[in-house]
Amino acid sequence: MKKQSFIFLIFLSLALLPACTVSKENKAKQVARTAMNQILVDFESYQPVKTTVDSAFVSVYTDPVITEAAHELTDLAAKRKDVDADYDFARQSVSIWQDHWDAYSREQHNQAISELNEFRSQLNDIDEDMAEQKEIIRNRAKEIKEGAFYGWTIHHRFRCKTADGETLTLNDAIIVADSLMENIYGVFIVEGDDKYEFDKLKRIIDNVLDR
């Protein structure tokens, strides 16, 4: 269905949309259509269903700096899982070859040790990167003042085909835009099995902030 569920970690300019004479609700529909055109794999199947607008307030869950860091943490966690599996395999190889002392066994043992050290180094690098992203979230959370008005939350329901191009599904998205609806701060898919789905992103942020 989508290229990825959380998309706009930088501002998406909507300045070319008609202004002034367009009602807030109609402009929200235009914003939603523009956002969906950016994220959907098969935009031709896109069918808007319902669009509503509410006030948007500053929140750690929609702040672009925090959500970008949470996005990075998601990717780093997936990468760490893969490297950790390689590390365990290399560790097993070290154990298998350590008691055999013919030339071939020594070569395999040394190679396994080398791989083990390499994977250990990669894990350390990933852990440092994850710690950095967590620090970004914590520092940014201290800077922002939650609850202040800063734009609009566009709740958008739509239909589109799944990635296989076969099934037409009903989906919900949250689009956070500035007060003039000229920039998008974030686009979130409300539910789904995607790793960038909003509730999963929220859990990451809550975990970092001990909420």
Side-chain angles (χ1 to χ4, degrees):
M1 179 194 74
K2 48 192 178 296
K3 298 176 183 176
Q4 59 184 50
S5 297
F6 175 75
I7 302 296
F8 300 100
L9 301 172
I10 58 175
F11 292 151
L12 170 64
S13 177
L14 301 170
L16 296 180
L17 290 178
C20 300
T21 59
V22 180
S23 71
K24 181 174 63 179
E25 289 73 18
N26 285 336
K27 191 166 187 180
K29 293 178 182 178
Q30 295 174 5
V31 170
R33 184 177 183 84
T34 298
M36 296 303 103
N37 190 30
Q38 294 293 320
I39 71 172
L40 296 181
V41 174
D42 184 5
F43 182 70
E44 294 299 320
S45 67
Y46 166 71
Q47 300 175 8
V49 176
K50 183 178 181 181
T51 304
T52 59
V53 184
D54 293 319
S55 296
F57 301 96
V58 175
S59 168
V60 294
Y61 304 120
T62 56
D63 178 78
V65 174
I66 291 177
T67 49
E68 180 177 10
H71 176 143
E72 290 297 323
L73 280 174
T74 301
D75 290 341
L76 286 168
K79 182 179 179 181
R80 195 187 195 288
K81 183 177 180 180
D82 291 339
V83 176
D84 194 47
D86 292 335
Y87 176 82
D88 286 341
F89 182 80
R91 186 172 56 183
Q92 292 172 16
S93 295
V94 170
S95 178
I96 290 172
W97 295 108
Q98 67 182 357
D99 294 328
H100 304 279
W101 297 110
D102 58 277
Y104 177 78
S105 297
R106 287 196 299 272
E107 180 182 349
Q108 293 301 309
H109 184 252
N110 291 335
Q111 181 178 337
I113 290 176
S114 177
E115 291 178 348
L116 184 68
N117 290 334
E118 173 60 27
F119 292 133
R120 182 185 290 115
S121 176
Q122 290 183 29
L123 288 173
N124 289 337
D125 290 342
I126 293 173
D127 287 342
E128 289 179 3
D129 290 342
M130 293 182 74
E132 180 180 346
Q133 297 304 319
K134 290 177 181 179
E135 192 65 16
I136 289 173
I137 291 175
R138 294 188 185 102
N139 290 338
R140 179 60 178 170
K142 293 176 183 177
E143 294 174 357
I144 67 174
K145 295 181 179 179
E146 290 193 273
F149 172 82
Y150 83 129
W152 304 103
T153 299
I154 300 169
H155 300 270
H156 185 57
R157 174 162 288 188
F158 64 98
R159 292 187 179 90
C160 73
K161 288 185 179 180
T162 53
D164 59 18
E166 297 296 329
T167 307
L168 194 66
T169 61
L170 187 65
N171 308 273
D172 290 283
I174 297 174
I175 304 164
V176 183
D178 67 7
S179 59
L180 298 177
M181 293 192 192
E182 292 181 350
N183 296 292
I184 289 178
Y185 295 137
V187 178
F188 307 90
I189 298 301
V190 177
E191 294 180 352
D193 57 2
D194 192 280
K195 63 181 179 180
Y196 301 112
E197 181 259 327
F198 181 74
D199 282 347
K200 296 176 183 177
L201 200 69
K202 181 178 180 296
R203 285 195 295 271
I204 291 172
I205 295 170
D206 283 342
N207 183 60
V208 173
L209 297 178
D210 295 323
R211 292 191 170 187

